[in-house]
Structure formats: structure tokens, C-alpha cells
């Protein structure tokens, strides 16, 4: 691709970065560029490499930014401070607790365990470390300290030294042994390695499991390693592992390769050793290169401090390591490890790392290198905290002496680490007793289980006879030991003050110690030979003799006999026997050392029986330096701020599992012996365990148990399991947080509203004053429905009233008021006051008038008979001799008007000889008939049902004799005959309905002659029926009655007089009406 | 004093009590009215028992096996159910009886009105006085039209009764006047009869 920008207008090429065309001035399109991920400068898009920095831009992945690991949720419970705010102690040097001061001595460096104290499980470890753990392996029991089984394993491993797998396993175990505690704890959790690998495993691997270990005679004498010689022996393992892979024998372990690259500072160490009279490392001819072959420290440092390269042997190991082994190289290659080490060193290098006893290392020379595996293994057998303390202290005993040239070659960081050691005074010279102490025989590989610095202290107790050792080897050992002692004595002159604690350790029985080692019988003093790693290895000097010589400045170390072990069991027995000491030697062994695996004897127990506890207490409390005492696990845990949290937090199952792993095989001093009953561990595998050794620390013999801890482990596991089961189930931490007890000062700050006892103040409610709920507060009043508008209606425009409308409204109100006043005047005054008097007057006037008409003269002329009355009279006359049915349909109320008619008609019927058959639909009708006729008349009785009853009666009248029953009553034959003979029907009634029903239901249907005697009011109703012929005649009222009486020549003229009175009454009524009308008219005129 | 005199005196007092209504509603008037109503109801009940119940019971005892008498139990039961109309929860039992009475009575009344009043009155108009008949027909028509209230008022004029309705209304008023005069005459007759009775009786007593 071209780097020019083509102009669209003129097609001219323009250089990159041009905005306008150089030819035509046209704006150029912006060129597409990419930014270099390294230098952040633009480059053409087609470039693969940056023009500015030359690095690849495409496909390059930028280094990830350092990730800040988020703190993982811890299982520690949340705890609030127990002191309220404001009561905290100010932070200052004077306020630092004493324990913290003790735990932080000057120039004391934190170990990795202190840095990562809470990393107890693989889940809290970096992935790079977890993934190297082979979970498929057997159970791992990390502490392999001071156990004879471990040495036995080493011996067994020596049988298969030619097999790379075994070597790698050993190397792996060594690596783990040197790992900090928090890293070691991880391994057993995953079961990467077995705590006590079965011997058969070693022997059978590679098809040589049946092979017996090499005879002790062929085992080269192993000189005691010195932990002060190298920073750490585990690095030797790495080298040996590498050597194995290259086909070298096990004897080449610890022997550096000829072409290996060594860091300068290691070379410097070697140079100093030579300068100080030391000789090259045994087993190699390279002298200085021997140390450099251990590991390439410079590269390691480079790796740790930013480098990326690794030594070849590490790289090769990575490629050749089998999957089941721990890839050590990956550990060092990983940036996490580098960062972790860097952080550790920033806060102070660990104690073990401060050991830079170059002169001593140089003195030991090839012995140290040759026994590097053993030394490493010995360190593995020491408790980790002691393992850390030992080198730190021994570093004080053997400060490195560096030349200015060497100091220049040493990295700065390493120089800082070595600086404090140089200031440590040399250890004081020992007296004869002390020399005798260090001259004890019995030094063998078993002492390798102890740290080097501790091994120095145990040398006298572990010294063995040299009866069985070959002469040449003894000589070589003596020679080398002498050299070491000389160099040690020459270079290390610790001050007496610094070795006071050590002197006190030896103080209990200096007189009991013999200056010369007491030769023991061969059977008793036979010490298990050190692992015969290779026949080619030159026997080294006994490191105990070296230490003794260093203390005695040239005292020859006793020759160490070389025991012969035919089998691991035999080797084990030999080791036990070798640990049998004389009384003098036993007296010199401090109790805490016996707890580390040395079998005490009866005499020892007797010697220390009296003041053993006091001495141990004094040793571990008062006499130990404070910073050492503070580093004890319990004190360190207590001194840590998180210790309280850890104890306060409930232990989970994982924690117990980790505790079990920690306790298994742990060799604890006296101050930890107090915890023995709680954690019954394994017993020391000694012939006769002393009473001073805790039972739980006494090991069983190999034959007694299959594993190191035997069945006790199972018991312990069972106990722990039971304990775990007895524990309440681990609940949700959130729930436990809720249940946490708040301190008082925090409770005091709790708002009252959140307390359960708090109740919101209720507003004062009015007391109900009435009703059934009177006296009760808070009664809701009935809401007046009409008082509260339910919904807001539309806003009405105000009505505007003009003046004219106001005037009209006032006038209307005046009119309305005046009308109401007038109405009241009329109704209340005149009508109510005058009426009773008028009524009374009218009544009296009426009475008088009527009386005058009855008893007064007849003022009227005789009335003229009407046609209806005449026809009625004729009908009665025509019905003479026949049955006349007379219906009395009136009550006593109407009897005054109808009774005269009834009497007059009945009298005529009697006169005509007619049969009168009475009937009535009124209850009182028959009684009216009786009162009118003054005799008992034949009767049909009471006929109920009005029109219905009358219709039935009409049917009977039509049926004649066939009608047997009427109104529910059986008609007699006479009655049926009378009914059949009825010629006239007379209805006397004052009711229209009765008259009409008789006409419609009986008269008209039966076509009977019907005469009606009605009141004068009903006369107008009856006359139309007369006109229609349905009624023959009508006698209506008093006037017709009077006329009918004249027609019938009745003797009683009562009806005439009554009619005269009626007329007078009518006149009076007319006058009253007219008078009343006139008064009303007069009154209205007055009002108007 | 004989019973007639006592009866006369009581009758006179009760009559005066009723006439005391001249001075308005008073206790004497109410007493007289209540006595009248009570006596009339009691008399009617006695009459029903004597005229209806006792004869039916006598016949039932005389011939208990008579089917005709047994059929009489139906109205008796219906009568008893009609009494239950006074009980709200059992009033529905008297409803059939009421329906029976009203239905039959209406049917009989309607048939009687047609056969006994409407047709005879229509056909009774004689040819000898057609004018009278025409006047009667016209007045009857106007009277019936006066009960029709259907009208369409003018938009800007108040509603006025139609003339034919006014004619019918006039006819009704004349009829009501005549009836009122007859009622007045009846009242005068009653008063005259009572005065005549009392004077005759008192005269007889005094004589």
C-alpha cells in the first residue's frame, strides 16, 4: 500500500498527514491510522510494526495491568470494635503494645507465613500454586520433622535414586519442606504427597522394589550439612533433580553441573570460602562452581525482581517433570511468586533468608554440597517456626564476611539482607564441658532431620561411635570436620551475650556430660547409616563434629561409626539404638530437644525429673530472647490483630481439617505440650518412650501402625469428626452477623425508633362524650355526608344582578308577603269564629222549620202523581194474588226515607193478597223488612255475593221449581213454588249499585216486572231504566211516597206531614244558602 | 221505664251526638259514629252466622253423606284462606280466593252492564222524542269527552280546555248539583223522620 494520500480532485499523491492537497489545495480525506499500543503514536493502518518504537502493533497484546486482587470473603466473623469511638488509643510508638514490640525486633523480617497468615486453603492460594498440586496423590502429612520414618523414607529413596521419579518426589518433598508454613498447609489439603510413603512404594517403583538398600559399607560417609552454608538446601534438590534427569546417579545430588551458571554472589561465597582456607565442595572438582551449580541465584533474583529468564536447569525441569510432581520451575517463573517474594522482601526478608554464613559454608566445602539433600531433609523435619528461627540465629553466629569486591557483586537487596548478620558478634569459645558435649558420638543422618543450627546443639547427644565406620571414611570425616571446626572457630566468634541462651541450654547438666564419648556397644550404638545415595559420593565429615569443632576451635570430632543397615526396618532399629545415650549424655539433652524426636533414656528422665519443667519453662519463657519467644506460634497468633478474630470466629470443617494437618507430625516444644491432651497426636517411635515425652508425641514403631500416626490419626480424625458433628451447623454468616452482640456503647447509639420497646407517641384523641362509645378516645365521628362536597362541579360564573332586577325582586317579595297576610285574615278570623254559631243557628232554625212542617199547618197543595209512581202502583195492583219478591237493600241509616215506602208498599201488597217473599244482600235488610212489615215475612234469606248472588237468584227465578238450592241453602218446595210464582220484584234501596245489579242480573235477564222504591237522591238514576222499560215504576223519595199514599188511599198521612216539613226545610235551606251567599258576597265586597 | 222508652232515649241521645258535628268533630259525634259502625258490623256478623253458617251446619248434620254439602266445603275453605290475608306470611294463601272473587265478579258485572244497562239504554230511546234522545246522546257524548285530557297547546298561548270538554264539564256540574240537592233532600227527610219519630213517641209518652 502506498503511504501517500491520493487527492480526489487532481489525483496527486500527498504525504501522510497532509490535510490539503499540495497540488490543488483540495481538502484531503483524513487518513486512517492506528495507534501504537506501546508508544501511542499514529502509524499507517497497514503497518505491522511501529515506526517510532519498532514494536509490533498488530496482534500485540499489551501486558496486563497489575491486577489488584480483591480481598476474598473471609470466613472470619465480622466484629465490631469493643470500644466506642473516641476511646481508641492514639497510634504512636509509645502506644504500641509490648507484645508487638517483641514480635518486631530490629531488622527482623517477616516471613511469608506472617505475610499470609490466613491462607490456609487452596481456595485462598494463587492459581499457579494450586494447579501444581496433584490431588490424585496419596494423603500428605506435611510435618516430617525429626521423625525417623522420614529418614527411613530417605533411605528407601536412596535405593531408587537412579529413578528419576523418586528423585523428583524427594526433590518435591524437599521443596515443600522448605516452603513456608502457609504453603505447606496447602499441600496436605490436596494430598499431593504422602506423609509417610510406604517403603514398598520406594522399593517397588521402577521394578526394584524388592531390592534391599545398599549396605552401609558402601555408603559414603556423609558429612553433616551446615544450614549456614547456603540460603536454603532445597535449592540443591532442584539441582539434583535436574541432575537425575540428565542421567546422573543419586550420588550426584547436590553436586552442581560443571557448566552450570552460578550467580555472582554464590561465586563470591565460594571465593570467600577458598580465601578463608576452605576447600571445594566434596564430590566435585569445580570448587567455586560447586556453589554456583546449586542454583542460578542471579537469574532467580532477576526473575524475582523483574527478570524473565530462568536457569536452564529450571527450564529443563519444567519440561522433564512428570505431571505428578510439582513443577518447581513454574513456581519461580510465575509472576505471582515473584511479586510475593518481592513483597516479602520489601517488608523484610524472612529469617531463614538472612542466613548467609558464607565462611562456614566455604569451610564445609564439598561436604555441605554433598549432603545437601540430607541437610534439606533435616530441615524438613524441624518445625517450621524453629526452622525459621534456626538460620536466623545461626546467621548471627556466622555472619558473612565479604570482601568489598564481593559486596559489589552482591545485589543490593541481598546486601541489605546480609547486613544485619555482619553485626552479630561471634559466638564465645566453649569450655571443655561444652566441647565434650559437642564431641558426643552418634552423629548421623538422623540429625539431619533437625535444622542445621539445631543440629549443632544436638550433636553431643547424638554422637555415635565410629567403631563400624571404615577407617578411610573416618579419616576423611575427621579431616573435614577438623577443617570445618577450625574455620568455624576462626570465623565465628559469637559474643557471650548472644550465646547465653545456648549456654543455658547446656547448663542443666554440664557435669553429667562426659568430656569424651563413651563407646557404646556396637549393637547399641549402631546408628542408621545415612542414606547411601551413591557410592560415588565421598564421605563427608560429620556436621556435628564440625559444630563441635567450631565451638572447641579445633577439637577433633569423634569418628562416627558407619552403621550397616540391611533393610529399612533394620535401619530404623539402628537409629533407635543410636539414639540411646549414656547418662551423661542424656543429662545434657534438654527436654525440649527430647521432644523433638530424640529418645530419652531412663537416666535422662531421672536427671531431669526434678527440674525439667522449671528448666524448660525458664528456657522457653525467660531465657529466650523476646523476639524469639514472640515468634512462637501461639504468641504470634495472639499478637496478630486477627488472632482474636480467628478465635472468635467459629471454626469450620475446613479449619479443623487444616488443624489436623498441622498437628499431624508436628514436633512441638514444651510450651506447646500443654496442648497435647487436646490434640493427641502420634507418639515418637522410640524403644522406650520417656515419661517426659508427651504420649501424643511418641511415635509408634513401623510395625505397629501402617502410617506415621497409625490408628491415632484415625482416632484423631474421629475425634475431630465428632467434634465437628457436635458443633452447631455452620450457618449463614449473615445470620450470625445479625446475632452478633453489639457492644454497649453501640447499643447506646442505637436509635430509639429501632428498639422493640419504643412506641410511637400517639396523638391525643378527643374523648367521646355521648353514645355507647362515650369515654373512649379516638372515636371517629360520623361524617356529615351533606356537609362535604363529594365532587367538585364546574365553576359557575357569578350571576350578575342589575338594579332593575333587584327592584323587581323586592316588589315581588312585597306582593308575596301581602298575599300571605290576606289569606291568613280570611281563614283564621271569619271562617273559624262565625261557623259554629251559624251552624247552631242554622240547625236550630232547621229544627224549628221541620217541626213546624210536621206539626204545623199543611201549607202545600196535594202533590200530583207522576207516571213512574202511577206505573208502580199499577204494577202492585197487577201482582195482586201473586208472589211479590221484595228486596230490602238498605240499612237503618237509610231506613228513614225508605221505611215509609216499604211500609206503604207492603200494606198495598197485603191489601192485594200478594205473597211477599223477602230477600236482601244486606245483613240488616231482613231486619228492615221485619221492622217495616211488622210481621214475619217469607224470606229467601241473605244472599251474599252482590252481582254473583243476584245472578244465581235470577237463574232460580227463571228456573222456577227446578231451583233447589240458592246461596248454599237448599230451597224448600214452598220456596221453590214461591220463586216460580214471583210476578213482581220490588227493590227498596238507596244505593245505585244495588239497584243496577238487581236490574242487570235479575230484572232484565228474567224479564220480570220490577218496581224500585229508592231515595230521592237515587231517583234520577232509576228514571232512565223506567224510560227504557226495565223498571216499571219508581217511587222516589218522600214526595213520591206521599203521592203513592194518596193513590192507595192509605190512612196514615205521616208522609204528607213529613213532606210538608220537607218543603219547609227546603225553603229554609234555600234561605240559608241565599243568606250565606249574600253574606259571602258582602264580605268580599268589604275586602275588595 | 219500658224498653221502648230506653231505646227511644238512647236513640235520641245518639242522634243528638251525631248532630253535634255541627260544632265540629267532637267525642259525642265519634261515639255515636263508632256505635253505629260497631252495631252495624256486629249485626252483619250475626246475620251471616245465622243466615249462612248455621243453616249449612244444620244441613251437614242432617245428611253428612250428601255430595252437595261436600261441595260446599270448597267455598268454606276458600273463605278460610281469605282470612289468612291478614297474616303477612300467609297472605299468599288467600290470593286465589281473592282472584276468584274479583274475576268472577268483574265478569258478571261486565256482562250485566252490557245486557242490563248499555244495550237497554241505547235501544230504549224512543222514536217519539228524537230530540230528547239526541240531546241525551249529545250530552252523554260531551260528558264522556270531558274526561279526555289530550290536547296540543299553541306555542305562545296558554293551554285552554276545549269547548266540547267544557260542555261535558257543564253537564257534569248540573248533574252533581241535582245529586247534591237530592242528598240535601234525603238529609232533610232523615231529619224529619227522626223528629217525627221522636215527637210522636214523646207525644205518646206524654199522652
Amino acid at each position: 500500500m502506498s503511504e501517500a494520500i491520493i487527492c480526489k480532485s487532481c489525483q496527486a499523491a500527498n504525504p501522510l498527514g497532509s490535510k490539503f492537497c499540495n497540488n490543488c489545495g483540495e481538502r484531503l480525506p483524513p487518513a486512517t491510522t492506528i495507534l501504537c499500543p506501546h508508544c501511542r503514536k499514529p502509524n499507517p493502518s497497514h503497518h505491522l510494526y511501529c515506526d517510532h518504537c519498532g514494536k509490533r502493533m498488530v496482534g500485540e497484546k499489551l501486558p496486563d495491568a497489575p491486577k489488584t486482587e480483591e480481598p476474598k470473603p473471609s470466613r472470619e466473623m465480622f466484629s465490631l470494635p469493643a470500644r466506642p469511638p473516641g476511646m481508641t488509643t492514639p497510634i504512636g510508638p509509645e502506644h504500641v503494645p509490648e507484645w508487638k514490640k517483641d514480635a518486631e525486633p530490629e531488622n527482623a523480617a517477616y516471613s511469608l507465613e506472617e505475610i499470609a497468615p490466613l491462607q490456609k486453603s487452596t481456595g485462598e492460594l494463587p492459581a499457579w500454586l494450586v494447579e501444581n498440586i496433584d490431588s490424585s496423590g496419596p494423603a500428605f502429612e506435611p510435618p516430617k520433622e525429626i521423625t525417623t520414618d522420614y529418614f527411613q523414607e530417605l533411605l528407601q529413596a536412596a535405593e531408587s535414586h537412579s529413578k528419576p521419579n523418586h528423585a523428583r518426589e524427594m526433590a518435591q518433598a524437599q521443596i515443600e519442606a522448605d516452603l513456608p508454613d502457609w504453603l505447606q498447609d496447602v499441600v496436605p489439603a490436596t494430598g499431593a504427597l504422602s506423609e509417610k510413603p510406604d517403603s514398598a512404594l520406594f522399593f517397588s517403583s521402577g521394578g526394584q522394589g524388592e531390592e534391599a538398600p545398599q549396605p552401609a559399607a558402601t555408603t559414603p560417609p556423609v558429612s553433616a550439612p551446615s544450614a549456614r552454608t547456603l540460603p536454603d538446601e532445597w535449592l540443591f534438590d532442584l539441582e539434583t533433580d535436574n541432575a537425575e534427569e540428565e542421567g546422573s546417579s543419586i550420588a550426584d545430588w547436590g553436586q552442581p553441573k560443571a557448566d552450570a551458571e552460578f550467580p555472582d554472589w554464590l561465586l563470591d561465597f565460594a571465593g570467600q570460602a577458598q580465601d578463608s582456607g576452605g576447600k571445594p565442595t566434596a564430590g566435585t572438582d569445580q570448587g567455586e562452581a560447586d556453589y554456583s551449580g546449586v542454583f542460578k541465584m542471579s537469574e532467580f533474583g532477576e526473575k524475582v525482581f523483574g527478570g524473565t529468564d530462568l536457569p536452564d536447569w529450571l527450564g529443563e525441569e519444567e519440561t522433564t517433570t512428570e505431571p505428578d510432581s510439582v513443577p518447581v520451575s513454574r513456581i519461580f517463573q510465575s509472576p505471582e511468586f515473584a511479586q510475593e517474594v518481592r513483597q516479602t522482601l520489601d517488608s523484610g526478608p524472612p529469617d531463614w533468608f538472612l542466613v548467609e554464613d558464607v565462611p562456614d559454608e566455604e569451610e564445609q566445602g564439598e561436604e555441605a554440597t554433598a549432603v545437601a539433600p540430607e541437610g534439606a531433609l533435616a530441615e524438613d523435619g524441624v518445625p517450621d517456626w524453629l526452622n525459621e528461627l534456626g538460620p536466623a540465629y545461626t546467621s548471627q553466629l556466622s555472619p558473612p564476611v565479604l570482601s568489598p569486591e564481593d559486596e559489589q557483586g552482591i545485589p543490593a537487596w541481598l546486601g541489605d539482607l546480609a547486613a544485619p548478620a555482619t553485626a552479630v558478634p561471634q559466638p564465645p569459645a566453649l569450655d571443655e564441658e561444652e566441647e565434650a558435649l559437642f564431641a558426643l558420638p552418634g552423629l548421623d543422618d538422623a540429625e539431619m532431620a533437625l535444622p542445621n543450627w539445631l543440629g549443632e546443639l544436638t550433636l553431643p547427644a547424638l554422637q555415635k561411635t565410629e567403631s563400624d565406620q571404615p577407617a578411610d571414611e573416618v579419616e576423611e570425616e575427621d579431616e573435614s570436620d577438623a577443617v570445618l571446626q577450625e574455620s568455624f572457630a576462626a570465623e565465628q566468634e559469637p559474643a557471650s551475650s548472644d550465646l547465653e541462651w545456648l549456654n543455658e541450654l547446656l547448663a542443666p547438666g554440664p557435669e553429667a556430660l562426659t568430656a569424651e564419648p563413651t563407646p557404646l556397644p556396637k549393637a547399641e550404638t549402631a546408628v542408621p547409616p545415612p542414606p547411601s545415595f551413591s557410592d560415588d559420593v565421598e564421605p563427608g565429615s560429620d556436621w556435628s563434629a564440625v559444630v563441635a569443632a567450631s565451638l572447641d576451635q579445633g577439637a577433633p570430632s569423634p569418628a562416627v561409626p558407619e552403621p550397616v543397615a540391611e533393610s529399612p526396618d533394620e535401619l530404623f532399629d539402628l537409629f533407635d539404638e543410636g539414639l540411646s545415650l549414656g547418662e551423661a549424655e542424656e543429662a545434657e539433652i534438654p527436654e525440649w530437644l527430647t521432644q523433638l524426636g530424640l529418645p530419652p533414656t531412663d537416666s535422662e528422665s531421672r536427671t531431669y525429673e526434678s527440674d525439667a519443667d522449671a528448666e524448660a519453662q525458664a528456657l522457653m519463657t525467660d531465657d529466650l530472647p523476646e523476639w524469639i519467644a514472640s515468634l512462637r506460634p501461639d504468641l504470634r497468633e495472639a499478637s496478630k490483630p486477627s488472632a482474636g478474630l480467628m478465635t472468635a470466629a467459629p471454626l469450620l470443617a475446613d479449619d479443623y481439617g487444616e488443624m489436623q494437618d498441622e498437628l499431624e507430625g508436628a514436633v512441638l516444644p514444651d510450651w506447646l505440650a500443654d496442648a497435647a491432651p487436646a490434640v493427641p497426636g502420634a507418639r515418637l517411635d522410640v524403644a522406650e518412650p520417656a515419661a517426659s515425652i508427651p504420649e501424643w508425641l511418641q511415635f509408634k514403631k513401623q510395625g505397629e501402625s501402617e502410617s506415621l500416626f497409625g490408628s491415632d490419626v484415625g482416632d484423631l480424625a474421629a475425634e475431630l469428626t465428632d467434634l465437628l458433628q457436635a458443633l452447631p451447623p455452620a450457618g449463614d454468616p449473615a445470620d450470625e452477623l445479625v446475632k452478633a452482640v453489639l457492644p454497649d456503647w453501640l447499643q447506646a447509639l442505637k436509635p430509639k425508633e429501632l428498639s422493640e420497646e419504643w412506641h410511637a407517641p400517639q396523638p391525643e384523641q378527643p374523648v367521646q362524650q355521648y353514645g355507647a362509645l362515650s369515654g373512649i378516645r379516638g372515636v371517629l365521628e360520623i361524617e356529615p355526608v351533606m356537609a362535604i362536597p363529594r365532587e367538585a362541579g364546574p365553576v359557575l360564573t357569578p350571576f350578575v344582578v342589575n338594579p332593575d332586577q333587584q327592584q323587581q325582586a323586592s316588589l315581588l317579595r312585597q306582593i308575596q308577603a301581602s298575599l300571605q297576610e290576606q289569606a291568613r285574615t280570611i281563614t283564621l278570623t271569619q271562617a273559624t269564629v262565625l261557623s259554629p254559631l251559624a251552624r247552631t243557628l242554622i240547625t236550630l232554625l232547621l229544627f224549628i222549620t221541620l217541626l213546624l212542617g210536621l206539626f204545623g199547618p199543611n201549607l202545600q197543595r196535594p202533590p200530583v202523581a207522576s207516571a213512574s209512581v202511577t206505573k208502580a202502583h199499577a204494577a202492585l195492583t197487577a201482582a195482586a194474588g201473586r208472589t211479590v219478591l221484595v228486596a230490602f237493600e238498605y240499612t237503618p241509616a237509610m231506613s228513614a226515607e225508605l221505611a215509609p215506602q216499604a211500609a206503604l208498599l207492603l200494606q198495598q201488597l197485603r191489601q192485594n193478597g200478594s205473597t211477599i217473599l223477602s230477600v236482601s244482600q244486606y245483613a240488616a235488610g231482613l231486619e228492615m223488612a221485619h221492622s217495616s212489615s211488622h210481621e214475619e215475612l217469607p224470606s229467601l234469606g241473605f244472599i251474599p255475593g252482590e252481582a254473583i248472588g243476584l245472578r244465581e237468584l235470577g237463574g232460580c227465578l227463571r228456573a222456577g221449581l227446578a231451583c233447589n238450592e240458592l246461596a248454599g241453602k237448599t230451597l224448600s218446595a214452598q220456596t221453590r213454588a214461591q220463586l216460580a210464582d214471583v210476578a213482581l220484584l220490588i227493590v227498596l234501596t238507596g244505593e245505585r249499585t244495588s239497584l243496577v245489579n238487581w236490574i242487570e242480573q235479575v230484572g232484565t235477564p228474567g224479564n220480570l216486572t220490577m218496581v224500585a222504591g229508592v231515595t230521592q237522591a237515587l231517583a234520577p238514576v232509576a228514571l232512565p231504566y223506567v224510560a227504557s222499560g226495565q223498571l216499571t215504576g219508581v217511587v222516589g223519595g218522600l214526595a213520591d211516597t206521599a203521592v203513592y199514599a194518596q193513590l192507595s188511599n192509605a190512612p196514615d198521612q205521616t208522609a204528607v206531614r213529613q213532606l210538608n216539613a220537607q218543603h219547609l226545610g227546603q225553603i229554609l235551606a234555600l234561605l240559608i244558602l241565599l243568606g250565606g251567599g249574600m253574606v259571602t258576597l258582602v264580605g268580599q265586597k268589604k275586602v275588595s | 221505664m219500658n224498653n221502648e222508652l230506653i231505646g227511644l232515649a238512647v236513640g235520641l241521645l245518639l242522634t243528638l251526638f251525631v248532630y253535634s258535628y255541627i260544632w265540629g268533630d267532637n267525642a259525642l259525634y265519634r261515639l255515636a259514629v263508632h256505635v253505629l259502625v260497631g252495631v252495624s258490623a256486629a249485626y252483619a256478623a250475626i246475620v251471616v252466622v245465622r243466615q249462612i253458617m248455621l243453616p249449612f251446619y244444620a244441613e251437614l248434620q242432617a245428611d253428612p253423606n250428601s255430595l252437595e254439602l261436600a261441595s260446599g266445603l270448597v267455598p268454606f275453605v276458600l273463605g278460610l284462606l281469605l282470612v289468612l290475608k291478614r297474616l303477612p306470611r300467609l297472605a299468599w294463601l288467600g290470593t286465589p280466593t281473592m282472584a276468584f272473587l274479583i274475576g268472577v265478579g268483574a265478569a258478571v258485572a261486565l256482562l250485566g252492564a252490557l245486557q242490563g244497562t248499555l244495550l237497554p239504554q241505547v235501544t230504549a230511546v224512543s222514536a217519539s222524542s228524537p230530540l230528547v234522545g239526541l240531546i241525551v246522546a249529545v250530552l252523554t257524548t260531551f260528558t264522556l269527552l270531558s274526561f279526555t285530557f289530550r290536547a296540543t297547546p299553541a306555542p305562545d298561548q296558554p293551554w285552554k280546555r276545549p269547548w266540547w270538554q267544557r260542555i261535558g264539564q257543564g253537564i257534569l256540574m248540573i248533574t252533581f248539583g241535582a245529586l247534591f240537592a237530592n242528598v240535601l233532600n234525603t238529609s232533610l227527610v232523615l231529619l224529619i223522620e227522626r223528629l217525627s219519630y221522636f215527637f210522636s213517641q214523646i207525644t205518646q209518652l206524654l199522652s
Side-chain angles (χ1 to χ4, degrees), chain A residues 839-840 843 846-847 850-851 855 896-897 923-924 927 948 951 970 1000-1001 1016-1017 1020 1024-1025 1028 1030 1061-1062 1066, chain B residues 22-23 43-44 47 59 104 108 111-113 115-117 120-121 124 182 185-186 188-193 195-196 199:
Chain A
R839 293 175 185 174
T840 304
T843 302
L846 182 59
F847 283 174
L850 295 177
L851 291 175
F855 301 102
E897 192 174 4
E927 185 61 26
I948 299 173
R951 192 168 187 87
T970 304
E1000 293 176 352
Q1001 303 297 336
Q1016 192 173 0
Y1025 289 101
S1028 63
Q1030 294 174 300
Q1062 181 180 12
Q1066 292 175 347
Chain B
I22 298 173
W23 295 283
Y43 186 81
V47 171
E59 293 180 1
V104 174
V108 171
L111 182 60
Q115 295 177 354
T117 302
Q121 293 293 323
N182 293 327
N185 291 327
T186 301
L188 288 178
V189 172
L190 295 176
L191 181 57
I192 292 168
E193 190 273 337
L195 290 176
S196 170
F199 271 96

Side-chain angles (χ1 to χ4, degrees), chain A residues 566-746:
Chain A
E566 299 295 336
S567 64
D569 294 338
E570 186 178 356
L571 183 63
F572 184 79
D573 296 337
L574 292 175
F575 177 75
D576 292 341
E577 293 172 357
L579 294 178
S580 300
L581 305 176
E583 294 182 358
E585 297 168 351
E586 293 170 355
E588 295 298 329
I589 300 175
E591 186 180 0
W592 64 275
L593 283 180
T594 59
Q595 296 179 4
L596 297 180
L598 298 179
T601 61
D602 296 338
S603 60
E604 180 188 16
S605 60
R606 288 192 300 272
T607 304
Y608 291 96
E609 185 176 4
S610 61
D611 53 353
D613 297 337
E615 291 297 334
Q617 183 67 21
L619 171 66
M620 301 311 298
T621 56
D622 299 335
D623 299 330
L624 285 177
E626 290 184 353
W627 67 273
I628 293 178
S630 64
L631 293 178
R632 289 184 300 185
D634 54 347
L635 296 178
R636 292 168 62 185
E637 288 295 328
S639 62
K640 293 175 182 176
S642 60
L645 301 180
M646 291 295 293
T647 55
L651 294 178
L652 302 180
D654 293 341
D655 299 332
Y656 280 103
E658 294 170 5
M659 179 187 297
Q660 178 182 359
D661 295 337
E662 292 176 358
L663 294 176
E664 289 177 357
V667 180
L668 303 176
D670 280 350
W671 50 269
L672 274 183
D674 298 337
V679 186
R683 295 181 293 107
L684 290 176
D685 193 4
V686 296
E688 293 181 2
S692 59
I693 299 177
E695 184 68 18
W696 62 279
L697 286 177
Q698 295 180 1
F699 281 38
K700 289 183 178 180
K701 289 187 177 180
Q702 188 174 5
E704 297 178 2
S705 61
E706 296 179 358
S707 61
L708 177 62
F709 296 96
S711 60
D712 294 338
V713 176
D715 298 340
L716 175 60
E719 273 190 347
L720 293 176
T721 304
D722 297 340
L723 182 60
L724 288 176
Q725 292 178 354
L727 289 175
D732 189 2
D735 298 339
E736 297 180 1
L737 284 176
V738 174
K739 297 175 183 177
V741 178
L742 297 178
D744 295 338
W745 65 269
L746 190 57

Side-chain angles (χ1 to χ4, degrees), chain B residues 33-103:
Chain B
V33 171
H34 290 169
V35 170
L36 176 63
V37 173
V39 171
S40 300
Y43 186 81
I46 292 174
V47 171
V48 170
V49 171
R50 292 184 60 181
Q51 299 292 328
I52 303 298
M53 303 297 290
L54 291 179
F56 179 77
Y57 180 70
E59 293 180 1
L60 185 61
Q61 285 183 335
D63 190 4
N65 298 325
S66 176
L67 295 177
E68 295 179 355
L69 295 177
S71 63
L73 294 175
V74 175
F76 181 76
V77 172
L78 293 178
L80 293 178
L81 293 177
L82 192 62
V83 175
L84 298 178
K85 293 292 292 184
R86 303 296 300 177
L87 305 176
R89 292 184 178 181
L90 301 177
W92 59 276
L93 294 175
T95 303
T97 306
M98 290 296 295
F100 178 78
L101 293 176
I102 294 174

Side-chain angles (χ1 to χ4, degrees), chain A residues 656-831:
Chain A
Y656 280 103
E658 294 170 5
M659 179 187 297
Q660 178 182 359
D661 295 337
E662 292 176 358
L663 294 176
E664 289 177 357
V667 180
L668 303 176
D670 280 350
W671 50 269
L672 274 183
D674 298 337
V679 186
R683 295 181 293 107
L684 290 176
D685 193 4
V686 296
E688 293 181 2
S692 59
I693 299 177
E695 184 68 18
W696 62 279
L697 286 177
Q698 295 180 1
F699 281 38
K700 289 183 178 180
K701 289 187 177 180
Q702 188 174 5
E704 297 178 2
S705 61
E706 296 179 358
S707 61
L708 177 62
F709 296 96
S711 60
D712 294 338
V713 176
D715 298 340
L716 175 60
E719 273 190 347
L720 293 176
T721 304
D722 297 340
L723 182 60
L724 288 176
Q725 292 178 354
L727 289 175
D732 189 2
D735 298 339
E736 297 180 1
L737 284 176
V738 174
K739 297 175 183 177
V741 178
L742 297 178
D744 295 338
W745 65 269
L746 190 57
Q747 288 284 3
L749 298 178
K750 185 177 181 179
K752 295 181 179 179
E753 289 77 3
L754 299 179
S755 62
E756 297 178 354
E757 300 177 353
W758 184 83
H759 299 285
Q762 298 295 332
E764 190 71 17
Q765 299 292 339
V767 180
Q768 184 72 8
Q769 301 292 343
Y770 56 88
L773 302 178
S774 60
I776 301 176
R777 292 184 180 275
V779 177
L780 297 179
E781 292 290 343
I782 299 176
E783 182 181 6
V785 179
M786 298 302 294
I788 300 177
R790 292 303 176 185
E791 56 183 10
V795 179
L796 300 176
T797 57
F799 180 74
V800 179
V801 180
N802 52 27
D804 296 337
Q805 293 174 342
Q806 292 180 353
Q807 185 177 1
Q808 293 176 357
S810 61
L811 180 59
L812 182 60
R813 283 192 294 270
Q814 292 176 359
I815 295 173
Q816 184 178 5
S818 61
L819 292 177
Q820 291 176 352
E821 292 175 356
Q822 293 176 357
R824 292 192 195 98
T825 303
I826 294 173
T827 55
L828 294 179
T829 56
Q830 298 176 359

Side-chain angles (χ1 to χ4, degrees), chain A residues 1047-1072:
Chain A
L1047 293 176
S1048 60
N1049 299 316
D1052 187 6
Q1053 296 297 322
T1054 306
V1056 176
R1057 288 186 280 113
Q1058 289 181 350
L1059 182 60
N1060 187 33
Q1062 181 180 12
H1063 288 170
L1064 293 177
Q1066 292 175 347
I1067 295 169
L1068 179 63
L1070 179 61
L1071 295 175
I1072 294 172

